[in-house]
Structure formats: structure tokens, C-alpha cells
Amino acid sequence: MASLSFALVFLLVSSSCLVLDARKPHVVKGMSLTFYKSSCPNVEKIVTDHLRKVFREDIGQAAALLRVHFHDCFVQGCDGSVLLDGSASGPSEQDAPPNLTLRPEAFVIINELRELVHKKCGQVVSCSDIVALAARDSIALSGGPHYRVPLGRRDGLTFATRNATLSSLPSPTSQTPALIAALSRINLDVTDLVALSGGHTIGIGHCTSFEERLYPTQDTTMDKSFAKDLKVTCPKLNYSNTTPLDIRSPNKFDNKYYVDLINRQGLFTSDQDLYTNETTRPIVTEFAMNETAFFEQFALSMVRMGQLSVLTGTKGEIRANCSARNSPRSALSSVVDDEGEDDAFYGESEL
């Protein structure tokens, strides 16, 4: 296996022409970086302070909260639909196979945050906004970038069907062309794909999500020593165990995920193929060499993803309980307090 240093030098030329998108992200109509300036000015502090306490006890919940945001936005937009319990109309999004490994504790934490925020400000902050803020703080408090989150989402009134959920969430066995096509359908591009995949720098993967790379024969794109270690964790098919997504720094949000890929130590097919594929390889290489470039692009891509098919204005509702639709008496409306964007978008990490 070629050393990491050799791989980086060898690929330097191919990646040097990569131009990262450093533009300030577009904020969709009805949302604002200062949405709660009047109605709940301390909402971000409330969320951050509580998550600091949570992560001191279990840093693994950072990845869990980030994943909830991804799984919410990819399925009918960032409307908090993944938080809803099932009903007489059918099973919830949480019951669909891709969501069965979402950690139950993450949903508890989101409702704890909702309770704290509503106790302080009243029922003016949506659950979907709380999910977006919790995802941002999960990144920042794990060592990643701290960025401004456009707010003003309202919560959806329905959850997606099982089939819609299945078709909207890319599989960990997907290869890069399928991932590019899936993100293109929701107006995210190739650079967004590679940057957002970097969220796998924290968190865990289940054996059943990558077992086809080990059995019956080993995937040739996987490092042999890495595969040997994985077979200890996952000694047979359908084994119920987990392993870190990033073997170098599993609890720190950094660019080591891309270093893993260059060393053929990506866990999922959907991860490793980003380096195998000629279209995405230069971006992987750039992010492996330049953590600042990764952080800047990840923040931009998160904001883009976080505004997918959002409900604003009078659409949707602000839930009194994140896991259930409002009763008619609890429904409230909200307005944009201030659509100004007076502060810098991208800031330093919060550790």
C-alpha cells in the first residue's frame, strides 16, 4: 500500500486546480440569520449550553444529532417530519429501514431542547430549527466549524411514506454516480456531496451496512489490514456490532475521514468510492490536505442542505411537542423578526 505522504504528493497536481465554492450561502425567502432576534434572542445559547452538558456525558450524541438533521432534510425537506411518531395513517419515517439505526436518545435530546427553548420564549421556535441548530452545535462542539444557521423553518404536518423515505435516503452501498444523481435531484452538487460525506468523520457504522465489502470476498478497494480488523468486529454476516466511521479520530470533527479514504480505509462503499471515482477524487484529496477548505465548504453545504424545501411564513406549524402534530388549540403562528444578515457567516470552531 502506498504511504499517505506519497499519495498526497502524487495527487497534488490533480487537486491543485480545484476551486472551492467560498461564496456566502443564499438564504431563502422567509428565513433569516436573525429570525428570532426579537422573539427568542437567546435561542442559540440555550441550545449550545444544553448540548455542552450532553456531550460531556456522551460525545457520541453529536453524530446522532447530526444524522437526524441529514435524514430529515433528505426526505421531503427540512421540516422536522423525521421527528413525528407514527399514526393511524401509517408508520413514521423512523420506522423505515434507513432510519432504524437513528439513536432514540437523539430524539429525546431534541425534545429536551424544545422544552427549554419554549419555557424561555414561548412556542415560537420550531422543532426543525432546533434540529438545525443542534446539528451545527454538534459539529462545532466536536471540533468542527461554527457557522451561522438561517432560521425560520416551520414544522411539517405530515411524515413521508416508507417508500418515499427509502427512495430519498442514499444507501451506504451506493457508488458515486448514484450519489451524484441523488443529490442532483435536490439541487446539491458534486462538491456538496463530498463535503457532506465528511460528516462521517464522527459517528459509528453498523456491520450490516458494510458487510458486503467483507463477505463472501473482500472488496479490493479496501486496505487488507483494515479489512482484517473489521472482520474481528464483524465476524459473520448479519452481525449486530458497530465500529467508528473514522478510525483516526472517531470523536473529533476534522478532515481525517478523507485521509482514511486515501488510505483505502473508508467504511462504506459510498465513502470509499468517492476516492475511487475520478470525478470526486480531486475534492477528496483537497480536503485531506486542507482542513480549512473542508470546514468552509462543509459549512456552506450544510446551509444549502438545511434549506431544502423548507416551510416558512404561514405554512406548517410550530409544534408544542416535536414528536406529534399540534392539536388545533396549540397551533401558533410566527413572523420574521428581521431578515437582515448583518454578521459574518463563518466563524471559528467552538471547543
Side-chain angles (χ1 to χ4, degrees):
M1 180 180 68
S3 68
L4 171 60
S5 58
F6 175 80
L8 290 178
V9 171
F10 179 77
L11 290 163
L12 179 59
V13 174
S14 66
S15 64
S16 62
C17 61
L18 179 67
V19 177
L20 295 172
D21 187 351
R23 295 174 298 174
K24 194 172 182 179
H26 171 70
V27 177
V28 305
K29 184 178 180 181
M31 297 180 69
S32 168
L33 296 175
T34 55
F35 190 88
Y36 298 111
K37 184 177 181 179
S38 299
S39 60
C40 195
N42 292 322
V43 58
E44 297 196 34
K45 184 178 187 303
I46 294 169
V47 171
T48 302
D49 287 349
H50 185 64
L51 291 182
R52 285 185 193 277
K53 297 175 185 177
V54 170
F55 298 158
R56 276 197 291 267
E57 297 293 324
D58 183 4
I59 190 60
Q61 296 305 326
L65 290 166
L66 177 58
R67 191 164 176 236
V68 168
H69 188 41
F70 272 82
H71 283 231
D72 183 36
C73 290
F74 271 68
V75 181
Q76 74 179 31
C78 309
D79 64 350
S81 59
V82 73
L83 308 176
L84 288 170
D85 291 335
S87 67
S89 64
S92 71
E93 291 177 25
Q94 295 174 38
D95 295 320
N99 290 333
L100 293 176
T101 53
L102 293 175
R103 299 191 204 181
E105 298 89 345
F107 298 104
V108 174
I109 293 166
I110 290 165
N111 249 328
E112 289 174 350
L113 291 168
R114 187 269 312 156
E115 185 175 359
L116 290 168
V117 170
H118 287 188
K119 182 178 180 180
K120 180 69 175 180
C121 302
Q123 193 178 326
V124 297
V125 179
S126 68
C127 294
S128 47
D129 271 350
I130 289 171
V131 168
L133 289 171
R136 188 275 310 278
D137 284 349
S138 295
I139 296 159
L141 295 173
S142 299
H146 184 278
Y147 55 90
R148 300 292 303 280
V149 178
L151 300 169
R153 300 166 189 79
R154 288 170 66 86
D155 299 320
L157 304 177
T158 62
F159 48 76
T161 64
R162 173 190 171 97
N163 287 342
T165 303
L166 282 167
S167 64
S168 299
L169 291 170
S171 165
T173 63
S174 298
Q175 294 189 317
T176 300
L179 296 174
I180 292 172
L183 267 68
S184 176
R185 288 193 291 270
I186 54 176
N187 296 318
L188 295 175
D189 62 25
V190 173
T191 304
D192 293 321
L193 166 62
V194 180
L196 293 172
S197 296
H200 283 176
T201 187
I202 55 175
I204 57 176
H206 293 254
C207 292
T208 52
S209 296
F210 57 86
E211 62 186 12
E212 87 289 344
R213 302 190 68 203
L214 300 174
Y215 308 107
T217 57
Q218 183 194 317
D219 185 339
T220 58
T221 66
M222 180 181 283
D223 173 69
K224 291 182 179 180
S225 295
F226 182 52
K228 183 178 179 181
D229 291 341
L230 289 177
K231 287 181 179 180
V232 174
T233 303
C234 310
K236 59 182 180 179
L237 292 171
N238 298 313
Y239 203 72
S240 58
N241 209 348
T242 62
T243 190
L245 293 170
D246 174 3
I247 63 171
R248 285 175 167 75
S249 53
N251 293 320
K252 182 180 180 183
F253 197 99
D254 56 22
N255 68 334
K256 296 301 187 291
Y257 162 83
Y258 301 102
V259 177
D260 295 339
L261 302 189
I262 289 176
N263 282 277
R264 299 193 297 139
Q265 294 165 335
L267 190 61
F268 300 149
T269 298
S270 58
D271 294 321
Q272 191 58 53
D273 201 54
L274 294 175
Y275 186 66
T276 304
N277 184 276
E278 293 182 358
T279 299
T280 49
R281 180 184 292 192
I283 311 175
V284 170
T285 306
E286 174 72 9
F287 290 162
M289 293 189 298
N290 188 338
E291 186 174 81
T292 299
F294 164 52
F295 279 6
E296 290 178 350
Q297 185 59 55
F298 185 82
L300 286 165
S301 296
M302 282 293 290
V303 171
R304 289 177 182 147
M305 184 196 75
Q307 297 183 96
L308 292 174
S309 301
V310 291
L311 303 174
T312 61
T314 59
K315 297 178 181 178
E317 64 183 11
I318 297 174
R319 294 186 203 136
N321 179 341
C322 291
S323 61
R325 282 188 56 183
N326 290 338
S327 63
R329 288 182 296 177
S330 65
L332 295 176
S333 61
S334 65
V335 296
V336 176
D337 293 311
D338 182 354
E339 293 191 9
E341 300 172 34
D342 49 345
D343 293 325
F345 160 70
Y346 181 75
E348 298 297 322
S349 300
E350 287 192 358
L351 299 174

